[in-house]
Amino acid sequence: MDQVVPAVDGALTSRHDGPIRSETVNEIALITLNRPERLNAFTAEMRALYLAALDRADRDPDVRAIVVTGAGRAFSAGADFKALEGLDAETMRARAAEQELPFDTAMRLRKPLIAAVNGPVAGIGMAHALMADVRFAAPEATFTTAFARLGLTAEGGLAWLLSRLVGTARALDLLYSSRTVGAAEAERIGLVQWTVPADELLDRARDYAAGLAANSAHSLARMREQVHAAWEQDWRTAYAFSQDLVYESLDRPEFAELAARRSAQRTGRAAGSGTVPSRPSSA
């Protein structure tokens, strides 16, 4: 059963949907994969609840950025093997057709999504982690695609994600071999951006998210759209699209307000440092 805690002075809201826990503190939504006894392995129910939590945070005007992590010692072991028993193509197609939100909801967000990878992540769990915009990892984090060991192909768009993050050869290596990549190698090849001590992981991810939340929400949403679209565009199309978005931004009241504020701040700093000449004395 859902548990909802009303906001206190706008500071905290929380919700517990069984295998998914979410809370919002100071404009940052934290979504936790919450099946630690199963290493946060996904079931159909858990996936639906996770996608709903992402969508809810994206639509919440009080949320400016989203962080996702795992409870316990893993981020996600992938698909729950118990849920895979007896699964066939027809059943999986039926489940996909009945799904209220698309599997790639994370790729459609308007707000930044940061993954705090606290431990092992595999298979479909890895796809969810890589759909985040940036990733922090604890030293204990490991990454493995796992599909080749099960007679499966790269699920959840993982081939697309890997090739763009680490390049074609490395993507094929990780998919072919299903080998386990530690946090240090993951950072070196671009699977994660920062490796930080486990006891600092969540704080660092939240601090980063808070820094993004201080920027223009419009700018962040449009830049996310630009980066994703650019993979399928030639240079002229990408450049023209970027110019159209700039023109759109210039006509927004937010730009005039922020530009004026920035100018005032610079003038104030210059005056404080003595670089602005004083008016000549009339004496």
Side-chain angles (χ1 to χ4, degrees):
M1 186 174 68
D2 295 354
Q3 298 175 359
V4 181
V5 180
V8 179
D9 295 329
L12 169 66
T13 62
S14 65
R15 179 173 179 140
H16 188 178
D17 288 342
I20 296 296
R21 187 172 70 242
S22 59
E23 64 178 29
T24 299
V25 181
N26 298 329
E27 300 183 311
I28 309 302
L30 173 64
I31 299 174
T32 303
L33 309 178
N34 192 39
R35 294 184 73 218
E37 73 286 355
R38 297 291 297 169
L39 300 181
N40 302 316
F42 277 89
T43 63
E45 178 200 18
M46 180 177 172
R47 180 179 66 247
L49 290 170
Y50 174 59
L51 298 179
L54 287 175
D55 181 65
R56 190 164 55 243
D58 196 45
R59 290 185 289 103
D60 188 340
D62 293 328
V63 170
R64 299 292 297 273
I66 306 164
V67 176
V68 59
T69 193
R73 66 184 185 87
F75 182 86
S76 173
D80 192 313
F81 280 103
K82 289 185 177 180
L84 293 178
E85 292 177 359
L87 185 65
D88 57 23
E90 184 179 354
T91 302
M92 192 166 183
R93 287 193 183 100
R95 287 180 182 176
E98 294 169 358
Q99 198 165 276
E100 184 175 346
L101 292 166
F103 177 85
D104 65 344
T105 292
M107 299 293 286
R108 304 169 185 239
L109 302 177
R110 299 181 300 275
K111 297 170 183 177
L113 176 63
I114 298 97
V117 184
N118 54 303
V121 58
I124 205 66
M126 187 166 168
H128 284 299
L130 297 191
M131 278 191 266
D133 298 318
V134 296
R135 284 156 294 284
F136 289 77
E140 297 81 5
T142 59
F143 299 78
T144 181
T145 59
F147 301 115
R149 296 175 184 167
L150 299 171
L152 297 172
T153 54
E155 191 181 357
L158 197 55
W160 191 96
L161 293 162
L162 277 172
S163 61
R164 283 157 176 75
L165 287 171
V166 302
T168 301
R170 283 190 173 125
L172 287 171
D173 163 47
L174 296 175
L175 290 169
Y176 285 167
S177 67
S178 289
R179 67 185 180 86
T180 298
V181 172
E185 182 182 0
E187 181 176 356
R188 178 172 61 80
I189 67 177
L191 280 180
V192 303
Q193 283 62 57
W194 298 278
T195 304
V196 299
D199 59 353
E200 299 177 14
L201 179 67
L202 209 47
D203 286 342
R204 290 283 294 275
R206 279 173 147 166
D207 287 347
Y208 179 83
L212 301 187
N215 293 327
S216 162
H218 171 80
S219 294
L220 298 183
R222 282 308 212 178
M223 286 190 286
R224 194 179 207 268
E225 180 183 358
Q226 280 181 276
V227 169
H228 287 176
W231 280 107
E232 310 300 328
Q233 296 171 335
D234 58 32
W235 162 249
R236 290 187 178 181
T237 302
Y239 178 75
F241 183 44
S242 73
Q243 292 304 103
D244 287 343
L245 293 181
V246 168
Y247 301 146
E248 174 190 274
S249 298
L250 289 172
D251 283 339
R252 287 173 52 82
E254 180 187 43
F255 169 74
E257 177 187 338
L258 293 175
R261 187 185 308 168
R262 183 77 168 173
S263 177
Q265 290 172 343
R266 286 181 174 177
T267 301
R269 284 197 297 269
S273 62
T275 57
V276 176
S278 58
R279 296 179 62 183
S281 171
S282 58

